[in-house]
Amino acid sequence: EAHGHSGQASKDPDWRCEHVLKGHENWVQSLVVTKDWLVSGSYDRKIRVWRLGHWESTQSVLEGHTGYVVSLSANGEYLFSGSADETVRVWKLETWECVRILEGHINWVRTLAVTRDHLFSGSDDKSIRMWSVGTWRCKRMLQGHTHYIYSLAVNGRFLFSGSDDQTIRIWRWGDGECQRVLRGHSSWVLSLAVSGDFLISGDYTGAIRVWSLATWVCIRELSGHTSWVRSLAVGGGLLFSGSYDMTIRVWRFGTWECIRVLKGHTGYVTAMAVIDKCLFSASADKTVRVWDRVA
């Protein structure tokens, strides 16, 4: 169910929930989408693989983690899963074989980000590990946060990390140097997204902050959510925010107007992913919703 704002121009896209994916037996906590696959990770310790467009059943159910699956990421070759069992598992895309288990963290692996050559894992042990894709060696540990690391995002130059210590750190991922610490949130920084000239961050109070990558200044604060902003995604000129208030808000990128509020989940919205004209949302209601963009 999509609820627009009164008086909103009709040219704004609407969103319709086309499918509700069921199969997980506990909270769905993480999502990642590739050109062919949607992958969901859950507190049931399982990872489900859905072929895009074929929603009747899962392609595979990946098992092996002994704790909650709380984070997922992927590049063109591998799927990565982070867990409360303190490990990262590396799965080969298409065959879904677990090819490596990365150990070293001493608490939940809460968040993952990946480039072609490097995997970054953020943990409740307050550290970020930088792994070399292929050799699977931990090349570097990034330390400085004083509490759990909840969120990571990466672009061509920087790694961004959000923490329960209420700060965002900007790391030069070439050498692991911390370039800057952004302060302004009054609570845990739970979600991050980076796109173009902007970094977007969401927190425990429901606030979303937009930062300029040129000046590192917060240029806008977006309000509307009434609980944790646990996930952020960018696609098609839009910003999507998912919250523990059980809604997803759709914001026009650049002008930062809220153009839609999507309702339907009956539990916290915990994760999102976007590709082409499809938005995917995961929830504590044990489902994944598939939303199609309509004119």
Side-chain angles (χ1 to χ4, degrees):
E1 302 132 35
H3 300 258
H5 287 265
S6 57
Q8 190 62 51
S10 61
K11 68 180 186 299
D12 285 325
D14 212 338
W15 297 82
R16 185 168 54 229
C17 179
E18 297 286 6
H19 303 280
V20 180
L21 309 185
K22 298 178 180 178
H24 283 296
E25 297 156 10
N26 207 327
W27 290 27
V28 186
Q29 189 65 23
S30 46
L31 286 179
V32 68
V33 64
T34 72
K35 65 183 178 64
D36 297 314
W37 311 100
L38 174 70
V39 184
S40 54
S42 169
Y43 277 5
D44 65 14
R45 300 177 171 83
K46 296 174 185 173
I47 299 165
R48 288 181 173 262
V49 181
W50 315 80
R51 183 181 281 279
L52 296 187
H54 300 269
W55 305 118
E56 302 78 29
S57 62
T58 52
Q59 174 78 14
S60 299
V61 179
L62 312 183
E63 298 185 69
H65 279 298
T66 58
Y68 300 154
V69 180
V70 292
S71 51
L72 293 169
S73 193
N75 61 12
E77 196 172 356
Y78 299 103
L79 168 73
F80 306 94
S81 56
S83 171
D85 66 16
E86 305 176 0
T87 70
V88 178
R89 283 182 173 249
V90 183
W91 312 81
K92 189 78 171 162
L93 286 180
E94 310 286 344
T95 68
W96 310 114
E97 175 193 2
C98 180
V99 296
R100 191 61 65 103
I101 300 172
L102 308 182
E103 297 177 304
H105 284 297
I106 55 172
N107 210 325
W108 291 32
V109 182
R110 185 78 66 170
T111 177
L112 298 169
V114 68
T115 66
R116 191 169 60 95
D117 299 319
H118 295 101
L119 171 71
F120 302 93
S121 55
S123 171
D124 285 5
D125 66 14
K126 309 175 192 173
S127 77
I128 301 164
R129 285 178 174 257
M130 176 178 175
W131 309 84
S132 175
V133 170
T135 69
W136 310 118
R137 190 170 58 87
C138 180
K139 293 176 66 175
R140 194 168 282 126
M141 272 182 70
L142 311 183
Q143 293 180 297
H145 281 298
T146 58
H147 215 294
Y148 300 164
I149 296 162
Y150 248 98
S151 47
L152 294 175
V154 66
N155 67 7
R157 291 184 63 204
F158 298 112
L159 174 72
F160 307 88
S161 57
S163 170
D164 279 13
D165 65 15
Q166 304 181 10
T167 70
I168 300 164
R169 284 181 173 254
I170 292 95
W171 312 83
R172 200 167 56 210
W173 58 262
D175 59 12
E177 287 295 311
C178 182
Q179 296 290 287
R180 192 169 293 263
V181 180
L182 304 184
R183 294 179 169 89
H185 282 287
S186 60
S187 69
W188 309 342
V189 182
L190 300 173
S191 50
L192 292 173
V194 62
S195 182
D197 299 325
F198 302 104
L199 173 70
I200 304 103
S201 54
D203 76 17
Y204 176 87
T205 69
I208 300 168
R209 294 174 81 89
V210 181
W211 308 81
S212 164
L213 295 187
T215 63
W216 305 116
V217 170
C218 177
I219 60 166
R220 189 69 65 92
E221 185 160 333
L222 313 183
S223 58
H225 283 300
T226 58
S227 189
W228 303 21
V229 178
R230 189 62 189 90
S231 53
L232 294 166
V234 176
L238 300 169
L239 168 69
F240 304 89
S241 55
S243 172
Y244 274 28
D245 65 14
M246 300 190 285
T247 71
I248 299 160
R249 284 181 174 256
V250 185
W251 312 81
R252 195 184 294 114
F253 202 86
T255 66
W256 312 114
E257 297 169 80
C258 181
I259 60 172
R260 291 287 183 270
V261 180
L262 309 184
K263 297 182 180 179
H265 280 298
T266 58
Y268 304 149
V269 179
T270 53
M272 292 185 304
V274 64
I275 189 171
D276 299 329
K277 294 184 177 180
C278 265
L279 170 70
F280 307 96
S281 57
S283 172
D285 65 16
K286 308 178 189 177
T287 71
V288 177
R289 283 183 172 248
V290 182
W291 306 82
D292 279 356
R293 181 171 176 160
V294 293

